[in-house]
Amino acid sequence: MESWSFTLGIIEAITWPGSVIFCVWMFRNELRALLLNLSKLRAGPIEALFERELRDITAATPTNPSALLEDSLSERHKEIIELAKRDPRSAIERAWQEIEHLMRRAAIQNDRSSPALDFSSPVRAMAFLLEIKAITVPDSLLFYDLRGLHNQIAHLPDFQPKEDTALKYINLAVRLVARLEKIASGGTG
């Protein structure tokens, strides 16, 4: 009798885990598809947050034309806009790279110290340009806002922004780039 109770106890103990393992094995393809969809759903709130932050930044940016003026854009910027139609994520990356490059170039152009300062970080370059008053506080705030949005793109591989969202980002980036180009060429922001 004791062996019968012992055997029954073991069967009861493994029934629940065994059932779960069996169900997972039977529905493995469906579960795999479900998990892939869940990872896509996770990006939904992130996308909404990204778009809200971008809308707030756009509203807070002085002289806010609603659309890009095609004839005032350089070929580089037109290429970034075309890229946004195919791959919005890459377009935002490219726009940010343009900002970083010009931020460093503007800082190097305005650096009169000996030995020259290290501007390998765009944040360090921005701090320098603010310190020498080559760039305005609103432009520095725009830089930090665009940097924060770019970091969301860079660190969330499942997040794929929409084309119109990328175009709004590029619009803001182009305005900052125009100011940085002026500073880098010896003008003031």
Side-chain angles (χ1 to χ4, degrees), residues 135-154:
I135 198 161
T136 64
V137 171
D139 286 342
S140 72
L141 294 175
L142 178 58
F143 165 80
Y144 286 109
D145 288 338
L146 291 174
R147 179 177 181 254
L149 291 173
H150 164 263
N151 286 344
Q152 288 180 31
I153 293 286

Side-chain angles (χ1 to χ4, degrees), residues 102-111 119 125-126 128-129:
L102 282 166
M103 183 65 62
R104 288 185 189 107
R105 198 173 106 206
I108 290 168
Q109 176 69 27
N110 287 280
D111 183 17
F119 297 117
M126 173 53 78
F128 171 75
L129 291 174

Side-chain angles (χ1 to χ4, degrees), residues 9-60:
I10 292 205
I11 291 173
E12 285 178 359
I14 64 169
T15 301
W16 175 247
S19 298
V20 170
I21 291 170
F22 177 75
C23 287
V24 167
W25 181 77
M26 285 295 294
F27 298 106
R28 66 186 175 275
N29 292 333
E30 291 82 359
L31 289 170
R32 186 177 296 127
L34 178 64
L35 289 174
L36 287 173
N37 285 335
L38 285 177
S39 70
K40 289 178 187 172
L41 286 176
R42 273 197 320 234
I46 295 166
E47 185 173 340
L49 178 64
F50 186 91
E51 288 180 11
R52 189 182 78 222
E53 288 176 0
L54 190 57
R55 193 173 41 250
D56 292 347
I57 294 165
T58 302

Side-chain angles (χ1 to χ4, degrees), residues 7 35 109 117 160 164 169:
T7 305
L35 289 174
Q109 176 69 27
L117 298 172
Q160 184 64 288
D164 64 322
Y169 182 96

Side-chain angles (χ1 to χ4, degrees), residues 36-101:
L36 287 173
N37 285 335
L38 285 177
S39 70
K40 289 178 187 172
L41 286 176
R42 273 197 320 234
I46 295 166
E47 185 173 340
L49 178 64
F50 186 91
E51 288 180 11
R52 189 182 78 222
E53 288 176 0
L54 190 57
R55 193 173 41 250
D56 292 347
I57 294 165
T58 302
T61 303
T63 61
N64 178 18
S66 59
L68 291 167
L69 302 173
E70 284 292 325
D71 42 332
S72 69
L73 294 174
S74 71
E75 283 304 311
R76 278 189 329 267
H77 297 129
K78 288 178 182 177
E79 288 172 12
I80 294 173
I81 291 169
E82 284 303 311
L83 179 59
K85 294 174 184 172
R86 294 186 316 272
D87 186 0
R89 181 186 184 88
S90 294
I92 290 173
E93 286 283 346
R94 188 104 160 267
W96 177 251
Q97 289 169 356
E98 183 83 12
I99 291 169
E100 280 189 333
H101 168 74

